[in-house]
Structure formats: structure tokens, C-alpha cells
Amino acid sequence: MNITDAEIKEAIQEGNKGVYHLHDIRKKYIVPVASDAFGLKYYQPIVNINTPYLTVLSVAALKTNKNETLSFSEAKKWVDIYKQSKSIDFTIETYGNSIDVIFNPINIVLKQGDNYIYPSSTTSLGVQRTTSWPNDPSYNENHTSFFPTNKIDINQNATLILKMPDNTLITYNVVFSNYK
């Protein structure tokens, strides 16, 4: 979760390629599913890990979209904000065909060895219609869960466990070294 000055500059350059490039990069931050939950009445949630590198890249891309440029000093401020949060956050995109299948509240835990790490907080953007509405899936909701960094060893892999509303568990493999 540490980022060097060279990586900050690289993230700015990558972000300067625009929001479409950002969407391609974000795909690399999808946490892979360890156990598929076949037969769910819900769509498989998509989980992304957020990092300081991805934060800088995202801000640079959004600024580029407005014909602005992210300076190195501004980027360092974003990195500082991320570090001050003292958390690693995961964004969880949930999908369903009716509003009542959306997760509220979301049940998620990070398991590392024998330790279970619970989020210090979770936020939601609320239920929204998808671009496929009224077809499947009709609705989605984005949640962000913040896990305290002082309880996580980023040198060890972890398992993110998501409990679905029907009590099915879906697990995701978190290999921290895979993400800048």
C-alpha cells in the first residue's frame, strides 16, 4: 500500500490517458472469485480493491476528462489522504432484478490466517437502475467497505468473505502483491 514517487508519476501518466483507459486499468483491480456461487438468485458481486496508485490514476483521469492536469504535488496530497484513512477499501458491486435483493446492510469480512478482520465502516451509493433496465439485471448498488490497515498484513494473502442475503457465502482471493 506504499507508493513511490516514480509510481505516483506513472499513475499520473496512466490517468492522463483518460477515463476509458481508467476503466481498462480498473479491471486489473478486480479481486478474483475463489468460490463461485452457482444457482444464486442474485448476480455474482464484483469486488475491486482500491489502492493509492489507483486513487492517483483515477483523479488524473477525471481531471484529464475536464481538460485539466493533475500535478505531482496534488497527487501526493491524494496519497496522503489515502494513508491518513488508515484503511484498505474494497468496492463491492451487487446486482439484482428487484430493489429487495440489494444488500442492506452488506455482510463482509476479511480472513487472514486464523484472524477475521471486520470493516471499520461501509458506505453505499444506494440502489440505482442499470443500463440494461428493465432487463436483467435491473438494479445495482455499490458499497465500499473500509478495513483497518493496522490489522492487515499486506505481505500475506487473505480471503474476502461476502455473505449473500440468502446466506450463501462467496469468497474472493486477495493477493495484495498483485496490486500497485
Side-chain angles (χ1 to χ4, degrees):
M1 294 293 116
N2 293 319
I3 184 169
T4 65
D5 287 354
E7 289 172 324
I8 291 172
K9 290 174 185 176
E10 176 188 311
I12 292 170
Q13 289 175 345
E14 289 295 314
N16 287 342
K17 294 178 183 177
V19 292
Y20 292 111
H21 184 65
L22 169 63
H23 293 298
D24 290 339
I25 295 291
R26 283 190 62 78
K27 291 176 188 173
K28 295 177 183 176
Y29 287 79
I30 293 175
V31 179
V33 175
S35 64
D36 283 325
F38 296 108
L40 283 176
K41 71 176 191 176
Y42 309 99
Y43 290 85
Q44 185 87 18
I46 299 170
V47 175
N48 286 80
I49 187 170
N50 299 307
T51 66
Y53 182 91
L54 187 60
T55 299
V56 170
L57 195 151
S58 300
V59 172
L62 294 173
K63 281 189 153 268
T64 298
N65 200 44
K66 297 190 298 185
N67 295 321
E68 298 174 5
T69 304
L70 179 66
S71 70
F72 180 75
S73 62
E74 287 176 299
K76 285 199 67 108
K77 288 179 185 174
W78 281 102
V79 170
D80 288 341
I81 290 169
Y82 188 95
K83 287 181 180 178
Q84 289 171 6
S85 74
K86 296 181 181 176
S87 65
I88 296 174
D89 55 294
F90 293 87
T91 302
I92 303 98
E93 297 177 46
T94 58
Y95 297 90
N97 285 326
S98 64
I99 293 174
D100 63 335
V101 301
I102 302 300
F103 301 34
N104 194 9
I106 193 159
N107 291 308
I108 193 165
V109 66
L110 191 65
K111 183 176 187 281
Q112 201 166 40
D114 292 332
N115 297 325
Y116 288 89
I117 305 158
Y118 296 90
S120 52
S121 66
T122 297
T123 62
S124 172
L125 296 177
V127 178
Q128 301 171 25
R129 282 193 253 180
T130 63
T131 55
S132 61
W133 186 88
N135 299 320
D136 297 346
S138 302
Y139 300 95
N140 80 317
E141 186 171 12
N142 288 311
H143 309 266
T144 303
S145 291
F146 302 87
F147 291 86
T149 54
N150 65 342
K151 297 189 180 201
I152 300 171
D153 180 356
I154 62 167
N155 297 310
Q156 291 184 11
N157 298 343
T159 301
L160 191 71
I161 304 167
L162 178 63
K163 185 177 181 183
M164 304 293 281
D166 66 357
N167 294 321
T168 301
L169 298 178
I170 301 177
T171 58
Y172 298 83
N173 288 328
V174 182
V175 179
F176 291 107
S177 62
N178 286 349
Y179 309 100
K180 285 187 183 181

